[in-house]
């Protein structure tokens, strides 16, 4: 009878150790998952959708405002606004574009805008 108690208590101890290890691994996974996912992916998708929606409607000045400061240094706003429609719509002959980010896929159509010469 003494042997059965020791065997049962050894089994319970092993089961308890296993449960503790599983719990610690689960907590570690939750902690790493929380640290690694900052929600920036959703912000990036939002920014891309906003940028391409502005581009689609011909609001090139608004889309330029979403650029990173380094990109703003590289492209002057007035130059970007003036040449954006010309290069893509007239020189390349495109009126639609598609972008894919992760599992999301969006098809966009350029809205022709009239460029008035001053």
């Amino acid at each position: 009878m003494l042997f059965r108690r020791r065997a049962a208590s050894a089994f319970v101890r092993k089961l308890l150790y296993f449960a503790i290890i599983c719990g610690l691994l689960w907590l570690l996974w939750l902690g790493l998952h929380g640290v690694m996912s900052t929600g920036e992916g959703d912000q990036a998708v939002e920014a891309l959708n906003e940028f391409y929606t502005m581009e689609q409607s011909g609001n090139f000045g608004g889309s330029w405002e979403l650029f990173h400061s380094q990109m703003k240094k590289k492209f002057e706003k007035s130059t970007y606004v003036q040449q954006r429609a010309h290069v893509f719509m007239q020189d390349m002959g495109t009126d639609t574009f598609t972008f894919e980010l992760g599992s999301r896929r969006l098809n966009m159509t350029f809205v022709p805008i009239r460029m008035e010469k001053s």
Side-chain angles (χ1 to χ4, degrees), residues 65-77:
E65 293 293 334
L66 295 175
F67 278 172
H68 186 273
S69 59
Q70 294 295 321
M71 290 296 290
K72 287 180 180 179
K73 288 178 185 176
K74 188 170 180 80
F75 301 104
E76 291 290 326
K77 184 176 183 176

Side-chain angles (χ1 to χ4, degrees), residues 17-106:
Y17 289 147
F18 178 75
I20 289 172
I21 289 172
C22 286
L24 288 173
L25 288 174
W26 181 67
L27 288 174
L28 179 66
W29 181 81
L30 283 177
L32 289 176
H33 182 69
V35 169
M36 299 305 234
S37 69
T38 58
E40 291 176 358
D42 292 336
Q43 290 175 351
V45 169
E46 242 179 71
L48 279 174
N49 286 332
E50 186 177 355
F51 177 84
Y52 285 119
T53 300
M54 288 181 185
E55 292 276 302
Q56 179 187 23
S57 66
N59 183 1
F60 301 118
S63 60
W64 182 88
E65 293 293 334
L66 295 175
F67 278 172
H68 186 273
S69 59
Q70 294 295 321
M71 290 296 290
K72 287 180 180 179
K73 288 178 185 176
K74 188 170 180 80
F75 301 104
E76 291 290 326
K77 184 176 183 176
S78 59
T79 305
Y80 181 80
V81 170
Q82 289 174 356
Q83 294 184 354
R84 181 71 172 160
H86 177 75
V87 168
F88 285 97
M89 292 179 187
Q90 294 172 359
D91 290 349
M92 294 182 172
T94 62
D95 60 356
T96 62
F97 65 90
T98 302
F99 78 94
E100 195 170 328
L101 182 64
S103 62
R104 298 179 183 199
R105 182 183 178 121
L106 296 175

